[in-house]
Amino acid sequence: MNVISRIRFPSTLETSSLYIKCNENASLNLNPQNVEVVLKKNGVLSFNTYFNSFYEKFYTKYTNLSSLYYLLKLEGDFQVSLYREHYQKDGREIIYIKNFNRCQPSEPVQISLPDSWHSEDAGRSYLELTCLSEHGLFLGGLIATEQPKIREVSLGIVTCTFKKEAYVKNTVNSILKDEFLQDNNLKIFVVDNGKTLKKDELDHPRVELIPNRNVGGSGGFTRGLIAALQDNAHTHFLFMDDDIEIDSESIYRLFALYEYTHHEFAVASSMLDLYKKHIVHEAGALYSKYRDDQGKYHFNPFTIASLKHNLNLENSNSINSLLLDEKPDYGGFWFFAFSKNILEEIGLIMPFFIKGDDIEFCLRIKDNLGLVVFPGIAVWHEPFYSKNPFWDAYYGTRNNLVTHSIHGSLKYTDVIKFVTKGLLQCIFFFDYNTARMLIEGFEDYMKGPSFIENIDPEELHNSIVSLSKSYKSQSIKPYHHNHFNNHQLSQKSGNSILNKLIKAFTLNGHLLPDFFLSKDDALLKMGLGYGESWTKAFTKKRIVIYRDGNSSMYEHEMNRQVVFELLIRWFKVVIKSATRWSSVKAEWRNAFNHLTSVNFWNKYLKLNEQVEQSVHR
């Protein structure tokens, strides 16, 4: 017997709706020593949920599995029903129903999945258990097969962190404590860019702690990947961010996928919102696209369109929409798996430090093989709306331009158009530090790949962080609820086109005389699925911004002199760069193979120096 996946219990009540649904005669007992669902007569336990559905369509398409069965640990009398639902089809069909009497946990109930699960009718199936006795228990379950594996999988798990010790230790411990993963061949490489973890905190034969310089996410993941490659024992690799929460079942399911597939493909997970745990933030994304309010996609070289964004996984129809196998351009490194064969074909990560390294890497995979966002594999991650450091814009601008140089043919006029638009938007929010970061990122891109090769990434990052605090008219202060008492979100429809044009032509009030301006603050809130417009700040001298999930407020005060300095600087950069655009773009494209090679990364990470030092000792 080979186990493909397990029916999982939630670890907290907060996430229970993603695992089980109970009627009034059934209840979950979360005692760590004895997790179970207790049922009375007519109690119903449903697995019509995100994590405990079986996504037939995906297993049919991506594996060679053909014969599967459930094993259920039950106590009492039960009616067991198996249902199937489809994307964009109303209702559900029952595909199996049977009564089982006097069930005992020591003799699991076996239920074969009907052959239709791997037919054209494949969709999403799930079990429902109805208790027929006065008392009943559900103690666990799994889906298994008697088919032999196509291959044995050895997984090198790489996570890199910068001073997020609690997250990393929780993730590592959840993997090591999973009984089912004890028999799987895996090793965890923890790359500590902050050098704050102690060896005895992660002292385990399946864990390797690697102290590292702060070379960002791309440098941390690559450092761990090089160590995993040196083991020469792993068939597949998994990247995981440090600021996640994970059910180790996602890793177990990943093993089964690769053990039973003939294909080469990368596997990405859905990213669930850490603060609203039943909400999908992203299940893959499209590059250089944005989606308008009508759901139509438009070109923008500096944005991504998150797929399945804001999907509520407590809703059955929302779960069914995951059956739509969209073709994403990338999946985030919060959970991203690929084979050693893929790596040998496409090379290592680009040295981006942070921001966009996963996008560029995935574009190579998509062009060569493909990637899948597999339903039922997910992590909870800190949402991006809750954090917005000013220096992000530097890396976003620079790295996006590099990515387009490698994978596209972006025109200079398009670049100037979209960077100028971003610059103006920052000015409209009085966000001059971010505006400066956009310009800095563009300027450093124009220096070509030699800039990346010859500068110390740690020193560069420290410099960028310092520059991102240049303008003292912006400050970050602790959040106070009284600032936003009775705050009403503004409606987008409140601005006519003419009204918005007037505000834009005055640079959102920067060109107005002082007597037109109010001393009242413009209060703006940003969060999941919404963000108030800059137009609300018109005729105001100060903006106060609060982001959901953040303990701070951002205060931006108007400064006309800074605006003129930024615009003049940007105008000069545009003129100066026009004649060099094509040659710089070619330089980045030509340097690509070198920048993704082991030789480059050994030098960049100073690994050769470490080897020499150890020899001389």
Side-chain angles (χ1 to χ4, degrees), residues 120-133:
E120 291 183 1
D121 193 42
R124 174 179 70 92
S125 59
Y126 54 87
L127 288 171
E128 279 193 3
L129 311 179
T130 302
C131 184
L132 303 177
S133 52

PDB file of all heavy atoms in Angstrom, residues 120-133:
ATOM      1  N   GLU A 120     -13.163  11.443 -18.373  1.00  0.00           N
ATOM      2  CA  GLU A 120     -13.448  12.818 -18.798  1.00  0.00           C
ATOM      3  C   GLU A 120     -14.391  13.518 -17.827  1.00  0.00           C
ATOM      4  O   GLU A 120     -14.498  14.746 -17.834  1.00  0.00           O
ATOM      5  CB  GLU A 120     -14.053  12.815 -20.207  1.00  0.00           C
ATOM      6  CG  GLU A 120     -13.072  12.402 -21.295  1.00  0.00           C
ATOM      7  CD  GLU A 120     -13.685  12.480 -22.674  1.00  0.00           C
ATOM      8  OE1 GLU A 120     -14.871  12.878 -22.770  1.00  0.00           O
ATOM      9  OE2 GLU A 120     -12.990  12.155 -23.650  1.00  0.00           O
ATOM     10  N   ASP A 121     -15.077  12.717 -17.004  1.00  0.00           N
ATOM     11  CA  ASP A 121     -16.031  13.285 -16.043  1.00  0.00           C
ATOM     12  C   ASP A 121     -15.357  13.701 -14.743  1.00  0.00           C
ATOM     13  O   ASP A 121     -16.011  14.124 -13.799  1.00  0.00           O
ATOM     14  CB  ASP A 121     -17.134  12.254 -15.755  1.00  0.00           C
ATOM     15  CG  ASP A 121     -18.327  12.879 -15.032  1.00  0.00           C
ATOM     16  OD1 ASP A 121     -18.731  14.000 -15.415  1.00  0.00           O
ATOM     17  OD2 ASP A 121     -18.829  12.254 -14.078  1.00  0.00           O
ATOM     18  N   ALA A 122     -14.044  13.580 -14.690  1.00  0.00           N
ATOM     19  CA  ALA A 122     -13.323  13.885 -13.445  1.00  0.00           C
ATOM     20  C   ALA A 122     -13.565  15.328 -13.004  1.00  0.00           C
ATOM     21  O   ALA A 122     -13.644  16.240 -13.818  1.00  0.00           O
ATOM     22  CB  ALA A 122     -11.829  13.658 -13.642  1.00  0.00           C
ATOM     23  N   GLY A 123     -13.692  15.502 -11.706  1.00  0.00           N
ATOM     24  CA  GLY A 123     -13.894  16.834 -11.138  1.00  0.00           C
ATOM     25  C   GLY A 123     -13.249  16.912  -9.770  1.00  0.00           C
ATOM     26  O   GLY A 123     -12.048  16.702  -9.622  1.00  0.00           O
ATOM     27  N   ARG A 124     -14.062  17.193  -8.770  1.00  0.00           N
ATOM     28  CA  ARG A 124     -13.608  17.227  -7.375  1.00  0.00           C
ATOM     29  C   ARG A 124     -14.539  16.342  -6.576  1.00  0.00           C
ATOM     30  O   ARG A 124     -15.767  16.511  -6.610  1.00  0.00           O
ATOM     31  CB  ARG A 124     -13.651  18.661  -6.833  1.00  0.00           C
ATOM     32  CG  ARG A 124     -13.320  18.770  -5.342  1.00  0.00           C
ATOM     33  CD  ARG A 124     -13.359  20.220  -4.882  1.00  0.00           C
ATOM     34  NE  ARG A 124     -14.701  20.773  -4.848  1.00  0.00           N
ATOM     35  CZ  ARG A 124     -15.515  20.761  -3.783  1.00  0.00           C
ATOM     36  NH1 ARG A 124     -15.119  20.199  -2.649  1.00  0.00           N
ATOM     37  NH2 ARG A 124     -16.720  21.314  -3.851  1.00  0.00           N
ATOM     38  N   SER A 125     -14.005  15.371  -5.859  1.00  0.00           N
ATOM     39  CA  SER A 125     -14.847  14.478  -5.065  1.00  0.00           C
ATOM     40  C   SER A 125     -14.521  14.625  -3.578  1.00  0.00           C
ATOM     41  O   SER A 125     -13.435  15.077  -3.214  1.00  0.00           O
ATOM     42  CB  SER A 125     -14.676  13.016  -5.505  1.00  0.00           C
ATOM     43  OG  SER A 125     -13.329  12.600  -5.367  1.00  0.00           O
ATOM     44  N   TYR A 126     -15.480  14.228  -2.755  1.00  0.00           N
ATOM     45  CA  TYR A 126     -15.297  14.314  -1.303  1.00  0.00           C
ATOM     46  C   TYR A 126     -16.281  13.376  -0.613  1.00  0.00           C
ATOM     47  O   TYR A 126     -17.327  13.009  -1.152  1.00  0.00           O
ATOM     48  CB  TYR A 126     -15.501  15.749  -0.800  1.00  0.00           C
ATOM     49  CG  TYR A 126     -16.819  16.359  -1.195  1.00  0.00           C
ATOM     50  CD1 TYR A 126     -17.966  16.179  -0.415  1.00  0.00           C
ATOM     51  CD2 TYR A 126     -16.930  17.113  -2.359  1.00  0.00           C
ATOM     52  CE1 TYR A 126     -19.185  16.738  -0.780  1.00  0.00           C
ATOM     53  CE2 TYR A 126     -18.143  17.681  -2.728  1.00  0.00           C
ATOM     54  CZ  TYR A 126     -19.263  17.485  -1.942  1.00  0.00           C
ATOM     55  OH  TYR A 126     -20.469  18.028  -2.313  1.00  0.00           O
ATOM     56  N   LEU A 127     -15.930  12.990   0.601  1.00  0.00           N
ATOM     57  CA  LEU A 127     -16.755  12.088   1.404  1.00  0.00           C
ATOM     58  C   LEU A 127     -17.678  12.865   2.338  1.00  0.00           C
ATOM     59  O   LEU A 127     -17.350  13.980   2.771  1.00  0.00           O
ATOM     60  CB  LEU A 127     -15.868  11.188   2.264  1.00  0.00           C
ATOM     61  CG  LEU A 127     -15.075  10.078   1.569  1.00  0.00           C
ATOM     62  CD1 LEU A 127     -14.112   9.452   2.567  1.00  0.00           C
ATOM     63  CD2 LEU A 127     -16.009   9.020   1.005  1.00  0.00           C
ATOM     64  N   GLU A 128     -18.812  12.248   2.651  1.00  0.00           N
ATOM     65  CA  GLU A 128     -19.662  12.697   3.759  1.00  0.00           C
ATOM     66  C   GLU A 128     -20.044  11.477   4.582  1.00  0.00           C
ATOM     67  O   GLU A 128     -20.449  10.443   4.030  1.00  0.00           O
ATOM     68  CB  GLU A 128     -20.910  13.406   3.250  1.00  0.00           C
ATOM     69  CG  GLU A 128     -20.650  14.846   2.875  1.00  0.00           C
ATOM     70  CD  GLU A 128     -21.916  15.662   2.655  1.00  0.00           C
ATOM     71  OE1 GLU A 128     -23.036  15.122   2.842  1.00  0.00           O
ATOM     72  OE2 GLU A 128     -21.766  16.845   2.313  1.00  0.00           O
ATOM     73  N   LEU A 129     -19.896  11.596   5.888  1.00  0.00           N
ATOM     74  CA  LEU A 129     -20.187  10.512   6.814  1.00  0.00           C
ATOM     75  C   LEU A 129     -21.387  10.889   7.665  1.00  0.00           C
ATOM     76  O   LEU A 129     -21.403  11.963   8.278  1.00  0.00           O
ATOM     77  CB  LEU A 129     -18.986  10.234   7.718  1.00  0.00           C
ATOM     78  CG  LEU A 129     -17.615  10.076   7.042  1.00  0.00           C
ATOM     79  CD1 LEU A 129     -16.538   9.839   8.102  1.00  0.00           C
ATOM     80  CD2 LEU A 129     -17.632   8.950   6.044  1.00  0.00           C
ATOM     81  N   THR A 130     -22.388  10.004   7.708  1.00  0.00           N
ATOM     82  CA  THR A 130     -23.560  10.213   8.560  1.00  0.00           C
ATOM     83  C   THR A 130     -23.592   9.130   9.619  1.00  0.00           C
ATOM     84  O   THR A 130     -23.552   7.925   9.297  1.00  0.00           O
ATOM     85  CB  THR A 130     -24.858  10.164   7.733  1.00  0.00           C
ATOM     86  OG1 THR A 130     -24.795  11.159   6.709  1.00  0.00           O
ATOM     87  CG2 THR A 130     -26.072  10.429   8.613  1.00  0.00           C
ATOM     88  N   CYS A 131     -23.632   9.524  10.867  1.00  0.00           N
ATOM     89  CA  CYS A 131     -23.635   8.568  11.971  1.00  0.00           C
ATOM     90  C   CYS A 131     -25.030   7.961  12.125  1.00  0.00           C
ATOM     91  O   CYS A 131     -26.024   8.684  12.278  1.00  0.00           O
ATOM     92  CB  CYS A 131     -23.205   9.251  13.266  1.00  0.00           C
ATOM     93  SG  CYS A 131     -23.068   8.133  14.671  1.00  0.00           S
ATOM     94  N   LEU A 132     -25.119   6.613  12.095  1.00  0.00           N
ATOM     95  CA  LEU A 132     -26.405   5.913  12.220  1.00  0.00           C
ATOM     96  C   LEU A 132     -26.603   5.331  13.616  1.00  0.00           C
ATOM     97  O   LEU A 132     -27.722   4.949  13.973  1.00  0.00           O
ATOM     98  CB  LEU A 132     -26.488   4.788  11.176  1.00  0.00           C
ATOM     99  CG  LEU A 132     -26.305   5.223   9.710  1.00  0.00           C
ATOM    100  CD1 LEU A 132     -26.342   4.003   8.795  1.00  0.00           C
ATOM    101  CD2 LEU A 132     -27.370   6.225   9.303  1.00  0.00           C
ATOM    102  N   SER A 133     -25.541   5.273  14.393  1.00  0.00           N
ATOM    103  CA  SER A 133     -25.616   4.749  15.760  1.00  0.00           C
ATOM    104  C   SER A 133     -25.776   5.904  16.747  1.00  0.00           C
ATOM    105  O   SER A 133     -25.680   7.079  16.377  1.00  0.00           O
ATOM    106  CB  SER A 133     -24.375   3.911  16.077  1.00  0.00           C
ATOM    107  OG  SER A 133     -23.187   4.641  15.774  1.00  0.00           O
TER     108      SER A 133
END
